Amino acid sequence: MAVRGVGSDAERELWRQTRKYINDYEDKAAELQLDLRRERNTLDSAVKRQKETKNEIQQQRQRAEQSQRHCNEQRIALLALQKQSQTLTCEAARLSQQLQMLQKDVQDKQQLHKHTRDLYSAHLQEQQATVEEYTSHCNYNP
């Protein structure tokens, strides 16, 4: 029986070490399970942030494209306004030149009219003098 006692002490020691290894394994497994959950939560959070970042990038790209389209539209409108401004400036210069020509024409016609009126006035005075002379001859009865 002494062998059995030695064996049973050895078996008890073996069971005690086995339980210790099992407990250590279960503790380690529990720690690893917690680490796994933490890492999974971290990974899920990172995946969520990545999706949010991708969505934000896509929205920023869309805003950038929209802004670029708006900028292009504004540039086209500005070019059209510049062309219209140039056209209007040329038209204004043409009309200004035409107005100057018309003003000179009016001045020339006014001078011609004044000269003609002065000639007619002088001629009329001559004729009035002639009529007065005729009248004075007619009224003269010697």
Side-chain angles (χ1 to χ4, degrees):
M1 291 242 189
V3 175
R4 220 173 192 204
V6 170
S8 74
D9 284 343
E11 278 181 21
R12 274 193 289 242
E13 183 59 28
L14 182 62
W15 274 108
R16 187 183 68 70
Q17 286 181 353
T18 303
R19 274 185 293 211
K20 182 180 178 282
Y21 288 137
I22 289 173
N23 286 336
D24 289 348
Y25 172 77
E26 287 174 347
D27 289 345
K28 187 68 173 170
E31 284 180 33
L32 289 174
Q33 200 64 354
L34 288 173
D35 288 347
L36 179 63
R37 277 192 212 130
R38 252 192 317 267
E39 293 300 321
R40 186 174 292 143
N41 288 341
T42 302
L43 179 62
D44 290 345
S45 178
V47 167
K48 183 180 176 184
R49 280 195 313 269
Q50 182 185 20
K51 285 180 183 179
E52 290 171 353
T53 303
K54 281 182 181 180
N55 288 338
E56 187 176 326
I57 289 171
Q58 184 178 7
Q59 289 172 355
Q60 287 178 353
R61 282 183 184 152
Q62 289 172 347
R63 284 193 295 269
E65 288 171 2
Q66 185 179 19
S67 177
Q68 185 63 37
R69 280 192 301 272
H70 180 70
C71 184
N72 288 339
E73 290 169 359
Q74 291 297 318
R75 192 179 345 224
I76 290 169
L78 180 62
L79 290 174
L81 287 174
Q82 286 175 338
K83 185 175 182 178
Q84 184 180 15
S85 173
Q86 288 174 348
T87 302
L88 290 174
T89 301
C90 290
E91 182 67 12
R94 186 188 67 77
L95 289 173
S96 177
Q97 188 178 24
Q98 187 177 8
L99 178 62
Q100 287 176 352
M101 289 171 41
L102 288 172
Q103 286 172 337
K104 182 165 179 6
D105 188 43
V106 166
Q107 286 175 346
D108 291 346
K109 286 182 180 180
Q110 285 174 340
Q111 286 177 351
L112 179 63
H113 178 70
K114 183 180 182 300
H115 179 69
T116 304
R117 190 178 64 212
D118 289 347
L119 286 177
Y120 285 144
S121 178
H123 182 66
L124 181 61
Q125 286 176 357
E126 286 177 16
Q127 286 182 347
Q128 281 179 342
T130 303
V131 166
E132 286 177 8
E133 191 179 312
Y134 288 149
T135 305
S136 71
H137 275 158
C138 289
N139 286 337
Y140 179 73
N141 281 329

